[in-house]
Coordinates of all heavy atoms in Angstrom, one line a residue:
L925 N 137.9 220.8 97.1 CA 136.5 221.2 96.5 C 135.6 221.3 97.7 O 135.5 220.5 98.6 CB 136.0 220.0 95.7 CG 136.6 219.9 94.3 CD1 136.1 218.7 93.6 CD2 136.4 221.1 93.4
L926 N 134.8 222.5 97.7 CA 134.8 223.6 96.8 C 135.4 224.7 97.6 O 134.8 225.3 98.6 CB 133.4 224.0 96.4 CG 132.8 223.1 95.3 CD1 131.2 223.5 95.2 CD2 133.4 223.5 94.0
F974 N 140.5 226.6 86.9 CA 140.6 226.1 88.2 C 141.4 226.9 89.1 O 141.4 226.6 90.4 CB 141.0 224.7 88.2 CG 139.9 223.7 87.8 CD1 139.7 223.4 86.5 CD2 139.2 223.2 88.8 CE1 138.6 222.5 86.2 CE2 138.2 222.2 88.5 CZ 137.9 221.9 87.2
N1063 N 135.4 210.9 76.8 CA 135.5 211.7 77.9 C 136.6 212.7 77.7 O 137.8 212.3 77.7 CB 135.7 211.0 79.2 CG 136.0 211.8 80.4 OD1 135.5 212.9 80.6 ND2 136.8 211.4 81.3
Y1065 N 138.0 215.0 79.4 CA 138.9 215.3 80.5 C 139.5 214.0 80.9 O 139.4 213.5 82.1 CB 138.0 215.8 81.7 CG 137.2 217.0 81.4 CD1 136.1 217.4 82.3 CD2 137.4 217.9 80.4 CE1 135.3 218.4 82.1 CE2 136.6 218.9 80.1 CZ 135.6 219.2 81.0 OH 134.7 220.3 80.8
G1068 N 141.6 214.2 83.8 CA 140.7 214.3 85.1 C 140.3 212.9 85.6 O 140.2 212.7 86.8
V1201 N 124.1 217.7 76.3 CA 124.5 217.2 77.6 C 124.0 218.1 78.7 O 123.6 217.7 79.8 CB 126.0 217.1 77.6 CG1 126.5 216.7 79.0 CG2 126.6 216.2 76.5
V1205 N 121.5 217.3 82.0 CA 121.8 217.7 83.4 C 120.5 218.5 84.0 O 120.1 218.2 85.1 CB 123.1 218.5 83.6 CG1 123.2 219.0 85.0 CG2 124.3 217.6 83.2
A1208 N 117.7 216.3 84.7 CA 117.9 215.5 85.8 C 117.6 216.3 87.1 O 117.0 215.7 88.1 CB 119.4 215.0 85.9
T1209 N 117.9 217.6 87.2 CA 117.6 218.3 88.3 C 116.1 218.5 88.5 O 115.7 218.8 89.7 CB 118.3 219.8 88.2 OG1 117.8 220.5 87.1 CG2 119.7 219.7 88.1
K1212 N 115.3 214.9 90.1 CA 116.0 214.3 91.2 C 116.1 215.3 92.4 O 115.3 216.2 92.5 CB 117.4 213.9 90.7 CG 117.4 212.9 89.6 CD 118.7 212.5 89.0 CE 118.6 211.6 87.8 NZ 119.9 211.2 87.3
W1214 N 118.5 217.4 93.5 CA 119.3 218.5 93.6 C 118.6 219.8 92.9 O 118.0 219.7 91.9 CB 120.6 218.3 92.8 CG 121.3 217.2 93.4 CD1 122.0 217.1 94.6 CD2 121.3 215.8 92.9 NE1 122.5 215.8 94.8 CE2 122.1 215.1 93.8 CE3 120.8 215.2 91.7 CZ2 122.3 213.6 93.6 CZ3 121.1 213.9 91.5 CH2 121.8 213.1 92.4
S1218 N 121.7 225.3 92.3 CA 122.8 225.0 93.3 C 124.1 225.0 92.5 O 124.2 224.6 91.3 CB 122.5 223.7 94.0 OG 122.7 222.6 93.1
T1219 N 125.2 225.3 93.2 CA 126.5 225.4 92.6 C 126.9 224.0 92.1 O 127.4 223.8 90.9 CB 127.6 225.8 93.6 OG1 127.3 227.1 94.0 CG2 129.0 225.8 92.9
G1220 N 126.7 222.9 92.8 CA 127.0 221.6 92.3 C 126.2 221.2 91.0 O 126.9 220.6 90.1
A1221 N 125.0 221.5 90.9 CA 124.2 221.2 89.7 C 124.7 222.0 88.5 O 124.8 221.6 87.4 CB 122.7 221.4 90.0
I1222 N 125.0 223.3 88.8 CA 125.5 224.1 87.6 C 126.9 223.7 87.2 O 127.1 223.5 86.0 CB 125.6 225.6 88.1 CG1 124.1 226.2 88.4 CG2 126.3 226.5 87.1 CD1 124.2 227.6 89.0
L1223 N 127.8 223.2 88.1 CA 129.0 222.8 87.7 C 128.8 221.4 87.0 O 129.6 221.2 86.0 CB 129.9 222.5 88.9 CG 130.3 223.7 89.7 CD1 131.2 223.3 90.8 CD2 131.1 224.7 88.8
A1224 N 127.9 220.6 87.3 CA 127.6 219.3 86.5 C 127.2 219.6 85.1 O 127.7 219.0 84.1 CB 126.5 218.6 87.2
A1225 N 126.4 220.7 84.9 CA 126.1 221.1 83.6 C 127.2 221.7 82.8 O 127.4 221.3 81.6 CB 124.9 222.2 83.6
L1226 N 128.0 222.5 83.4 CA 129.2 223.2 82.7 C 130.3 222.2 82.4 O 130.7 221.9 81.2 CB 129.7 224.4 83.5 CG 128.6 225.5 83.8 CD1 129.3 226.5 84.8 CD2 128.2 226.1 82.5
F1227 N 130.7 221.5 83.5 CA 131.8 220.6 83.3 C 131.4 219.2 82.7 O 132.2 218.5 82.0 CB 132.5 220.3 84.7 CG 133.3 221.4 85.1 CD1 133.0 222.1 86.4 CD2 134.6 221.8 84.5 CE1 133.7 223.1 86.9 CE2 135.3 222.8 85.0 CZ 135.0 223.5 86.2
G1228 N 130.1 219.0 82.7 CA 129.6 217.8 82.2 C 129.7 217.7 80.7 O 129.5 216.6 80.1
T1229 N 130.0 218.9 80.1 CA 130.2 218.9 78.6 C 131.4 218.1 78.2 O 131.7 218.0 77.0 CB 130.2 220.3 78.1 OG1 131.1 221.0 78.9 CG2 128.8 220.9 78.3
T1230 N 132.2 217.6 79.2 CA 133.2 216.6 78.9 C 132.7 215.5 78.1 O 133.5 214.8 77.4 CB 133.9 216.1 80.2 OG1 134.9 215.3 79.9 CG2 132.9 215.4 81.0
L1231 N 131.3 215.2 78.2 CA 130.8 214.1 77.5 C 130.2 214.5 76.2 O 129.4 213.8 75.5 CB 129.6 213.5 78.4 CG 130.1 212.8 79.6 CD1 128.9 212.5 80.6 CD2 130.9 211.5 79.3
A1246 N 123.4 211.0 78.4 CA 124.7 211.1 79.1 C 124.6 212.2 80.1 O 125.2 212.0 81.2 CB 125.7 211.4 78.0
G1247 N 124.1 213.3 79.8 CA 124.0 214.4 80.8 C 123.1 214.0 82.0 O 123.5 214.3 83.2
F1248 N 122.0 213.3 81.7 CA 121.2 212.8 82.8 C 121.9 211.9 83.8 O 121.8 212.0 85.0 CB 119.9 212.1 82.1 CG 118.8 211.9 83.1 CD1 117.8 212.8 83.3 CD2 118.8 210.6 83.8 CE1 116.7 212.5 84.1 CE2 117.7 210.4 84.6 CZ 116.7 211.3 84.9
L1249 N 122.6 210.9 83.2 CA 123.4 209.9 84.1 C 124.5 210.6 84.8 O 124.8 210.3 85.9 CB 123.9 208.9 83.2 CG 122.9 207.9 82.5 CD1 123.5 206.9 81.6 CD2 122.1 207.2 83.6
H1250 N 125.1 211.6 84.0 CA 126.3 212.3 84.7 C 125.9 213.1 85.9 O 126.6 213.1 86.9 CB 126.9 213.3 83.6 CG 128.0 214.0 84.1 ND1 129.3 213.6 84.3 CD2 128.1 215.4 84.5 CE1 130.1 214.5 84.8 NE2 129.4 215.6 84.9
M1251 N 124.7 213.6 86.0 CA 124.2 214.4 87.1 C 124.3 213.5 88.4 O 124.7 213.9 89.5 CB 122.9 214.9 86.9 CG 122.3 215.8 88.0 SD 123.2 217.3 88.2 CE 122.9 217.6 89.9
S1252 N 123.8 212.3 88.3 CA 123.8 211.4 89.4 C 125.2 210.9 89.7 O 125.6 210.9 91.0 CB 123.0 210.2 89.1 OG 121.6 210.5 88.9
M1253 N 126.0 210.6 88.7 CA 127.3 210.1 89.0 C 128.2 211.1 89.7 O 128.9 210.8 90.7 CB 127.9 209.6 87.7 CG 129.3 208.9 87.9 SD 129.3 207.5 88.8 CE 128.2 206.4 87.7
V1254 N 128.2 212.3 89.2 CA 129.2 213.4 89.7 C 128.8 213.8 91.1 O 129.7 214.1 91.9 CB 129.1 214.6 88.7 CG1 127.9 215.4 89.0 CG2 130.4 215.4 89.0
M1255 N 127.6 213.6 91.5 CA 127.2 213.9 92.9 C 127.6 212.8 93.9 O 127.5 213.0 95.1 CB 125.7 214.2 93.0 CG 125.3 215.6 92.3 SD 126.1 216.9 93.0 CE 125.1 218.3 92.3
N1256 N 128.1 211.8 93.4 CA 128.4 210.6 94.3 C 130.0 210.2 94.3 O 130.4 209.5 95.2 CB 127.6 209.4 93.9 CG 126.2 209.5 94.4 OD1 125.9 209.2 95.6 ND2 125.3 209.9 93.5
V1257 N 130.7 210.6 93.3 CA 132.1 210.2 93.2 C 133.0 211.1 94.0 O 134.2 210.6 94.2 CB 132.6 210.0 91.7 CG1 131.8 209.1 90.9 CG2 132.6 211.4 91.1
G1258 N 132.6 212.2 94.4 CA 133.5 213.1 95.2 C 134.0 212.5 96.5 O 135.2 212.8 96.8
Y1259 N 133.2 211.7 97.1 CA 133.7 211.0 98.3 C 134.9 210.2 98.1 O 135.8 210.0 99.0 CB 132.5 210.3 98.9 CG 133.0 209.3 100.1 CD1 133.2 209.9 101.4 CD2 133.4 208.0 100.0 CE1 133.6 209.2 102.4 CE2 133.8 207.3 101.0 CZ 134.0 207.9 102.3 OH 134.4 207.1 103.3
L1260 N 135.0 209.6 97.0 CA 136.1 208.7 96.8 C 137.5 209.3 96.8 O 138.4 208.8 97.4 CB 136.0 208.0 95.3 CG 134.8 207.2 95.0 CD1 134.7 206.7 93.6 CD2 134.7 206.0 96.0
H1261 N 137.6 210.6 96.3 CA 138.9 211.2 96.4 C 138.9 212.4 97.4 O 139.8 213.1 97.5 CB 139.2 211.7 95.0 CG 138.2 212.7 94.4 ND1 138.0 213.9 94.7 CD2 137.3 212.4 93.3 CE1 137.0 214.5 94.0 NE2 136.6 213.5 93.1
G1262 N 137.8 212.5 98.1 CA 137.8 213.5 99.2 C 138.0 214.9 98.8 O 138.4 215.8 99.7
G1263 N 137.7 215.2 97.5 CA 137.8 216.7 97.1 C 139.3 217.0 96.7 O 139.5 218.1 96.4
N1265 N 140.9 215.9 94.1 CA 140.9 215.9 92.7 C 140.0 216.9 92.2 O 138.7 216.9 92.3 CB 140.5 214.5 92.1 CG 140.3 214.6 90.5 OD1 141.0 215.4 89.8 ND2 139.3 213.9 90.1
L1266 N 140.4 218.1 91.6 CA 139.6 219.1 91.2 C 138.7 218.8 90.0 O 137.6 219.3 89.9 CB 140.4 220.4 90.8 CG 141.1 221.1 92.0 CD1 142.1 222.1 91.4 CD2 140.2 221.7 92.9
Y1267 N 139.2 217.8 89.2 CA 138.4 217.5 88.0 C 137.4 216.3 88.4 O 137.4 215.2 87.7 CB 139.3 217.0 86.9 CG 140.3 218.0 86.4 CD1 141.4 217.6 85.6 CD2 140.3 219.3 86.8 CE1 142.3 218.5 85.1 CE2 141.2 220.2 86.4 CZ 142.3 219.8 85.5 OH 143.2 220.7 85.2
N1268 N 136.5 216.6 89.3 CA 135.6 215.6 89.7 C 134.7 215.2 88.6 O 134.3 214.0 88.4 CB 134.7 216.2 90.8 CG 133.8 215.1 91.5 OD1 134.2 214.1 91.8 ND2 132.5 215.4 91.6
N1269 N 134.3 216.1 87.7 CA 133.5 215.8 86.5 C 134.2 214.9 85.5 O 133.7 214.1 84.7 CB 133.0 217.1 85.8 CG 131.9 217.7 86.6 OD1 130.7 217.4 86.3 ND2 132.2 218.6 87.6
G1270 N 135.6 215.0 85.5 CA 136.4 214.1 84.7 C 136.3 212.7 85.0 O 136.2 211.8 84.2
L1271 N 136.4 212.5 86.4 CA 136.2 211.1 86.9 C 134.8 210.5 86.6 O 134.7 209.4 86.1 CB 136.5 211.1 88.4 CG 136.3 209.8 89.1 CD1 137.1 208.7 88.6 CD2 136.5 210.0 90.6
S1272 N 133.8 211.4 86.8 CA 132.4 211.0 86.6 C 132.2 210.7 85.1 O 131.6 209.8 84.7 CB 131.4 212.0 87.1 OG 130.2 211.8 86.6
G1273 N 132.7 211.6 84.3 CA 132.5 211.5 82.9 C 133.2 210.2 82.3 O 132.6 209.6 81.4
G1274 N 134.3 209.9 82.8 CA 135.0 208.6 82.4 C 134.2 207.4 82.7 O 134.0 206.5 81.9
I1275 N 133.5 207.4 83.9 CA 132.7 206.3 84.2 C 131.5 206.2 83.4 O 131.1 205.2 82.9 CB 132.3 206.4 85.7 CG1 133.5 206.3 86.6 CG2 131.3 205.2 86.1 CD1 133.4 206.5 88.1
V1276 N 130.8 207.4 83.2 CA 129.6 207.4 82.3 C 129.9 207.0 80.9 O 129.2 206.1 80.3 CB 129.0 208.8 82.3 CG1 127.8 208.9 81.4 CG2 128.5 209.2 83.8

Side-chain angles (χ1 to χ4, degrees):
L925 288 173
L926 285 167
F974 279 91
N1063 172 36
Y1065 308 159
V1201 179
V1205 173
T1209 62
K1212 300 179 182 180
W1214 303 285
S1218 66
T1219 300
I1222 293 173
L1223 293 182
L1226 299 175
F1227 286 115
T1229 52
T1230 182
L1231 293 167
F1248 191 89
L1249 293 176
H1250 178 74
M1251 182 67 206
S1252 297
M1253 184 62 66
V1254 77
M1255 290 300 193
N1256 284 280
V1257 297
Y1259 172 78
L1260 297 176
H1261 54 76
N1265 168 39
L1266 291 171
Y1267 303 167
N1268 190 47
N1269 284 267
L1271 175 59
S1272 171
I1275 296 172
V1276 171

